[in-house]
């Protein structure tokens, strides 16, 4: 889920981790390409260098001049996400490459990563096609679309095992089914988030709620199971709502806007999810099943990368060599925390010490930096 829910205790550490993941490489870049749309984010403003630009491959060169971690989005008029970059630390820069068709859009900066953000309307001019694609790009998009649909299809029966246990009042069975029910979601989270309205229903944490928002979804039930140690009177209704909302996700995922650049950016977003929620222990704060989510995020990022690899290999072979190395190293490190014969049995995160968490964070950072360059490599 979008990592906006930082407690006071963990905020300082999280800012440092996120800056390492999202800002260090970009910060050294003196300036972006001449054709880039400059986006300057602050605590109370969001300035763009041009409000009209041609369709095709568009680069947003973002600089956060504020004091808060921010997010930047390029949005369709109905708030679906074209592309985004979360967790841009104060004083850092980020580059986002996206494939954009002609039409009306909004660029939104979200200081503190909450709310609707500060928005600027922009117009993309030109024909209906955003950019020419090679057969390899088309094949990657088609394969990824099949992948996300398969993940959604396979998630629903696993969720039903979880929700059936909740409805039956069987706490131990529900606990056992909880983490497996989330794997498909974690692998493809950026696509789910692109719809805008599903993620807040199924994957929000208590401190990420907007004013007036009712808390529903996985984490509400996670709290009841592990912290409250009992299911509340609305547990059955919550289970029913989770089934319904995820069925909605399953039906809509096949219609998601997917491009080679959104796949590459989504892979980077998944690593940001790991840095902001899993490494810090914030995501699964009651169940401590963070490493299962961690593995799902990494698998999803790697799948996108592998599909784009034929294109990236031609355009930037050195980057591909580095990404192969970093994915292998992070997967090897994760394997040391397996806690059973099942591929998704991992050590409870509360048993992972500070030094080990630092090692995991370093592994994520080492992968995230080159992964942030994948979208640009794909469209060279």
């Amino acid at each position: 889920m979008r990592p906006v829910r930082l407690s006071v205790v963990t905020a300082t550490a999280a800012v440092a981790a996120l800056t390492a993941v999202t800002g260090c490489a970009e910060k050294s870049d003196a300036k972006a390409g001449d054709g880039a749309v400059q986006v300057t984010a602050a605590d109370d403003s969001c300035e763009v260098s041009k409000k009209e630009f041609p369709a095709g491959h568009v680069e947003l060169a973002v600089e956060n001049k504020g004091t808060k971690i921010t997010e930047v989005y390029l949005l369709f008029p109905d708030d679906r996400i074209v592309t985004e970059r979360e967790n841009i630390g104060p004083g850092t820069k980020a580059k986002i490459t996206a494939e954009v068709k002609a039409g009306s859009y909004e660029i939104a900066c979200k200081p503190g990563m909450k709310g609707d953000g500060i928005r600027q309307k922009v117009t993309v001019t030109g024909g209906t096609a955003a950019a020419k694609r090679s057969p390899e790009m088309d094949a990657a998009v088609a394969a990824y679309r099949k992948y996300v649909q398969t993940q959604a299809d396979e998630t629903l029966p696993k969720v039903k095992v979880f929700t059936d246990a909740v409805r039956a009042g069987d706490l131990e069975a529900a606990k056992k089914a909880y983490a497996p029910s989330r794997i498909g979601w974690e692998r493809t989270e950026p696509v789910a988030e692109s719809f805008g309205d599903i993620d807040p229903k199924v994957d929000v944490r208590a401190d990420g709620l907007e004013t007036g928002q009712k808390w529903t979804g996985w984490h509400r039930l996670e709290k009841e199971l592990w912290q409250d140690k009992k299911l509340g009177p609305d547990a059955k209704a919550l289970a029913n709502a989770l089934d319904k909302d995820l069925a909605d996700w399953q039906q809509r995922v096949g219609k998601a806007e997917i491009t080679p650049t959104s796949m590459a950016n989504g892979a980077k977003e998944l690593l940001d999810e790991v840095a902001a929620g899993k490494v810090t222990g914030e995501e699964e704060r009651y169940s401590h099943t963070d490493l299962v989510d961690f593995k799902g995020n990494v698998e999803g990022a790697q799948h996108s990368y592998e599909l784009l690899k034929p294109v990236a290999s031609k355009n930037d072979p050195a980057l591909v060599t580095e990404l192969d190395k970093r994915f292998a190293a992070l997967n090897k490190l994760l394997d040391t925390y397996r806690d059973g014969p099942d591929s998704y049995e991992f050590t409870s995160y509360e048993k992972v010490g500070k030094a080990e968490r630092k090692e995991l964070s370093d592994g994520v950072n080492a992968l995230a930096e080159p992964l942030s360059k994948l979208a640009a490599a794909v469209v060279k």
Side-chain angles (χ1 to χ4, degrees), residues 70 136 143 163 188 194 207 232 336:
T70 196
E136 292 91 345
T163 53
T188 60
S194 71
D207 46 343
T336 65

Side-chain angles (χ1 to χ4, degrees), residues 297-310:
N297 285 159
V298 173
E299 284 183 339
Q302 187 164 9
H303 193 82
S304 293
Y305 163 61
E306 293 292 346
L307 291 175
L308 294 170
K309 191 172 175 178

